[in-house]
Amino acid sequence: MDFLAATFVTLLASCQPHEIEPSAYLRDLLCLIPSWPARRVLELAPVNWQKTFEQQDTQQRLAANVYRQVALGELDEHSAKK
């Protein structure tokens, strides 16, 4: 468990020098990881995030993610379960 906590702290701390809002980054990261190709995982690191976030593939994945839609208030929880 310490490794997991250290990983999250490191990711969030790495957001500041790259001018990334940590909670938005973490939300989007957790939405992307399940469908993200393992060979492209370094694209999700804060140092690469802005470029990755701007890619059409990333935007499509995020737009299709129901959990992100709920988190952003674009979809209520009851609609998401249907």
Side-chain angles (χ1 to χ4, degrees):
M1 190 61 148
D2 290 336
F3 175 75
L4 184 59
T7 300
F8 276 109
V9 168
T10 301
L11 278 174
L12 295 176
S14 296
C15 288
Q16 185 177 9
H18 299 289
E19 298 180 2
I20 299 169
E21 202 282 303
S23 62
Y25 169 72
L26 191 55
R27 177 200 61 227
D28 291 347
L29 180 67
L30 293 174
C31 288
L32 289 171
I33 285 176
S35 66
W36 199 260
R39 70 184 184 283
R40 293 178 53 199
V41 72
L42 290 179
E43 294 174 27
L44 299 175
V47 68
N48 301 318
W49 181 245
Q50 191 60 41
K51 183 178 176 183
T52 301
F53 183 77
E54 293 170 355
Q55 293 175 353
Q56 184 177 358
D57 174 53
T58 305
Q59 288 299 312
Q60 288 173 342
R61 289 172 191 259
L62 289 171
N65 189 285
V66 174
Y67 299 107
R68 185 174 192 266
Q69 293 172 16
V70 171
L72 292 174
E74 297 170 355
L75 187 67
D76 64 40
E77 290 182 46
H78 300 294
S79 299
K81 292 180 182 180
K82 291 181 183 180

